[in-house]
Amino acid sequence: MTVVYDVIIIGGGPAGLTAALYNSRARLKTLVLEREKLGGQIMSTHEIANFPGSILGKAGEPSGSELIARMIEQAQKYGATIEVGKEVVGIEVSDSGKVLTCKDGSVYQSTAIIAANGAVPRKIGCPGEAELQGKGVSYCATCDGAFFEELEVYVIGGGNSAVEEATFLTSFARKVTIIQNLGYLTADAIAIEQAEKTGKIEVIYHSVVEEIIGDGLVESMIIRNTETEERLVIKADEEDGTFGVFVFIGYQPSTALYQRELDLNEWGYIETTEAMATNVPGIFAAGDIRPKLLRQVVTATGDGATAAFAVQRYIEAKK
């Protein structure tokens, strides 16, 4: 017999876990389904300095994993059920509710859904990137930074994530070079100041990566100046034999599941109202899966709280 939930939250990042906390405290039967691991992008962040009231971690700043652990504990304390390894592959909507089917064949039913799948790192899309992922190409400084102890590292991107992770990588790398397609960094002033203080970071402006080359490991890279069209071949130091390429150029929303039912904008994000409602009654969206000016933990949790409250009102109206 299929268990019927008041709300099923798809995705266990900050937005989904916040929604789970709010809905479970409202005494709604709440289920979180997470495809891979709880926490989402925040789990690869080595420090969180701009989340109001954060409790400092061992290194002086709260790490993503520490913050997520507390979010999970809170949600479960008030009765939320959390299941990991559940990839939702189908949603059926009817007057009687929503039916969700997972890749493993399990089926769940609910009155409302909150889509909080988040986003995945955007790829460069150049030759060699996919082949050398995990062999020098990375999208997570926290995960892979230690592999490049005393080596050179190149960070692709110029926003907050790129500059902050470049600063983090100076703890391991001999030298860090940021490659930015614009003529300036788009990170905030504090992030840039912290990067400059390391004395180990250089920036190459107006440049993009055209190809990453290597036989088993990254050995060289071709970058192109977008103003002069000049191409530069960057080779690994002979003694090193390799270098790291860390990509932080934004994210792509995980919205393939919703393409049939929900309205998406031109970039693939789920369109919502201020109440996080989608075009389908009873389906809401929160976090990086929807259009927004700022993609940070604090805005994700705000979305999650709003979506949860909207779900409560939706369910009350149906009684």
Side-chain angles (χ1 to χ4, degrees):
M1 181 177 177
T2 302
V3 177
V4 180
Y5 291 87
D6 292 311
V7 56
I8 294 178
I9 300 160
I10 306 173
L17 292 172
T18 301
L21 170 63
Y22 273 69
N23 281 151
S24 58
R25 279 180 55 84
R27 295 295 183 260
L28 297 184
K29 192 172 182 60
T30 303
L31 172 67
V32 177
L33 298 176
E34 168 56 46
R35 181 182 64 180
E36 295 180 346
K37 62 180 181 180
L38 295 168
Q41 300 171 31
I42 191 177
M43 296 298 285
S44 63
T45 302
H46 74 280
E47 68 176 33
I48 303 167
N50 55 2
F51 189 75
S54 290
I55 300 172
L56 299 185
K58 296 176 182 178
E61 297 288 354
S63 71
S65 59
E66 290 172 328
L67 185 59
I68 287 298
R70 293 196 294 274
M71 289 184 179
I72 295 168
E73 183 180 1
Q74 280 182 299
Q76 291 179 324
K77 175 182 177 181
Y78 291 103
T81 300
I82 300 175
E83 295 189 23
V84 179
K86 296 291 185 178
E87 180 179 359
V88 180
V89 294
I91 298 174
E92 293 183 15
V93 180
S94 67
D95 293 338
S96 60
K98 286 80 178 168
V99 177
L100 290 75
T101 304
C102 292
K103 192 173 183 179
D104 63 4
S106 52
V107 178
Y108 302 87
Q109 187 173 342
S110 68
T111 303
I113 292 172
I114 297 177
N117 309 57
V120 294
R122 189 178 298 277
K123 307 295 193 296
I124 300 170
C126 69
E129 179 183 18
E131 293 81 358
L132 292 167
Q133 181 174 340
K135 302 173 183 178
V137 176
S138 176
Y139 307 88
C140 176
T142 306
C143 308
D144 300 327
F147 293 122
F148 297 91
E149 186 82 39
E150 290 304 315
L151 297 178
E152 292 190 27
V153 161
Y154 292 83
V155 171
I156 317 303
N160 270 19
S161 293
V163 174
E164 289 171 359
E165 299 307 316
T167 301
F168 171 70
L169 286 166
T170 61
S171 301
F172 307 100
R174 180 174 73 244
K175 177 184 176 184
V176 178
T177 302
I178 295 174
I179 298 176
Q180 164 69 324
N181 65 329
L182 302 175
Y184 56 91
L185 298 174
T186 57
D188 61 39
I190 291 178
I192 294 173
E193 287 171 10
Q194 290 177 335
E196 291 173 343
K197 286 179 182 178
T198 68
K200 295 174 66 174
I201 298 177
E202 294 184 1
V203 184
I204 299 175
Y205 294 106
H206 298 294
S207 296
V208 296
V209 177
E210 287 213 322
E211 185 176 359
I212 303 171
I213 303 163
D215 183 11
L217 289 173
V218 171
E219 297 171 354
S220 63
M221 177 170 61
I222 300 173
I223 64 173
R224 174 175 56 85
N225 186 293
T226 57
E227 291 190 321
T228 65
E229 295 301 316
E230 179 183 359
R231 286 170 172 78
L232 173 66
V233 179
I234 297 173
K235 295 182 179 180
D237 182 277
E238 287 187 8
E239 293 186 5
D240 297 338
T242 188
F243 58 83
V245 180
F246 287 80
V247 183
F248 301 103
I249 55 174
Y251 295 87
Q252 291 178 312
S254 301
T255 51
L257 173 65
Y258 310 104
Q259 289 179 354
R260 189 182 67 175
E261 297 285 351
L262 303 184
D263 289 342
L264 309 181
N265 70 9
E266 58 185 306
W267 295 284
Y269 292 93
I270 297 175
E271 295 278 19
T272 71
T273 65
E274 289 186 5
M276 306 297 145
T278 70
N279 59 295
V280 176
I283 299 183
F284 303 81
D288 287 355
I289 203 167
R290 57 179 293 271
K292 55 202 308 182
L293 179 62
L294 179 65
R295 300 182 186 283
Q296 295 278 292
V297 180
V298 69
T299 60
T301 55
D303 282 2
T306 301
F309 183 69
V311 163
Q312 293 169 35
R313 296 181 66 178
Y314 173 78
I315 291 175
E316 289 169 1
K318 289 184 69 67
K319 291 179 179 178

